[in-house]
Amino acid sequence: MTEIVDGARQTQRSQAKADRRAALLDAAAKLFADRGFNGVSIEDLGTAAGVSGPAVYRHFAGKQAVLAALLVGVSRDLLDGGRAVVEAASDDAHALRSLIAFHADFALGNPDVIRVQDRDLDSLADEDRRDVRSLQRRYIEQWTAVLGRLHPSLDATVLRVRVQATFGLINSTPHSARTHGGGIDAATARPVLEAMAWAGLNAPVR
């Protein structure tokens, strides 16, 4: 009985720690997006997450480690999510539509992270920045592999241009809306983004 109780307490402590870490990352995304990485202190992060500044160090070695966890983490989530989408698809057309929907969900749900990525990537340590770039390249390769099977006549460079242009389209919408003080209605934006992304990826070759 004691072992069961101790195990339950350990599970609760582990969950509480994971929840606090997630809260810190969420607070970091908002603060970094609003003020920039250099405009936010460890104390600011702690206050926003409801803990003291020194308590942040129980979860992260420092502010740069928070930024790394945020950007490396989201890049890994995109890669893993993209892989799952492709594996679950019935064919390549279904896979491409599902990738578009997956990325639209990400962009509309994480505008702060997109802003941080755009502005503060260079604030990462060199190794972390290389990790982000590597994960991003692999995510792009997932898309280009699917698109290449649908359009085998297209050159690999053209495929990458189409994919990266699609990311620019989808990522810029929530970014621009926040920058200019407007709200984003995801229910309205999502079908427009998905239709434009599909059309751009599959545009006729001239």
Side-chain angles (χ1 to χ4, degrees):
M1 182 65 177
T2 301
E3 291 180 358
I4 293 175
V5 172
D6 289 344
R9 288 174 178 167
Q10 182 63 38
T11 299
Q12 290 174 348
R13 284 194 293 269
S14 296
Q15 185 59 54
K17 184 176 182 179
D19 290 345
R20 184 65 69 193
R21 187 178 190 276
L24 283 165
L25 289 175
D26 185 58
K30 292 181 173 62
L31 289 174
F32 292 161
D34 287 341
R35 306 181 196 173
F37 175 76
N38 292 324
V40 178
S41 68
I42 283 290
E43 288 72 22
D44 294 332
L45 290 175
T47 298
V51 300
S52 66
V56 176
Y57 292 105
R58 298 174 189 166
H59 305 273
F60 301 100
K63 191 175 67 166
Q64 196 171 67
V66 177
L67 181 65
L70 185 66
L71 296 184
V72 175
V74 76
S75 297
R76 185 173 292 111
D77 288 346
L78 282 172
L79 178 62
D80 292 343
R83 182 184 298 114
V85 161
V86 173
E87 290 176 352
S90 57
D91 56 35
D92 288 323
H94 181 202
L96 187 60
R97 287 194 182 277
S98 297
L99 282 170
I100 292 170
F102 168 71
H103 198 87
D105 284 341
F106 159 73
L108 292 168
N110 299 276
D112 289 330
V113 175
I114 291 173
R115 293 186 72 201
V116 175
Q117 161 80 28
D118 288 348
R119 183 172 54 196
D120 292 316
L121 180 64
D122 287 343
S123 294
L124 288 172
D126 290 344
E127 182 177 355
D128 293 324
R129 188 164 56 251
R130 285 194 296 270
D131 286 345
V132 169
R133 292 301 192 196
S134 175
L135 290 164
Q136 289 176 340
R137 284 194 297 271
R138 290 163 63 191
Y139 183 54
I140 291 170
E141 288 167 6
Q142 288 178 342
W143 283 66
T144 56
V146 172
L147 190 61
R149 290 192 294 271
L150 289 170
H151 298 281
S153 65
L154 291 181
D155 180 80
T157 300
V158 174
L159 293 172
R160 284 192 294 273
V161 167
R162 291 192 180 202
V163 170
Q164 290 175 316
T166 298
F167 292 167
L169 165 70
I170 296 175
N171 290 352
S172 68
T173 301
H175 175 96
S176 298
R178 181 183 174 93
T179 299
H180 294 97
I184 265 289
D185 180 355
T188 300
R190 182 177 287 105
V192 175
L193 289 173
E194 291 181 3
M196 293 179 69
W198 178 263
L201 287 166
N202 295 286
V205 179
R206 296 183 178 179

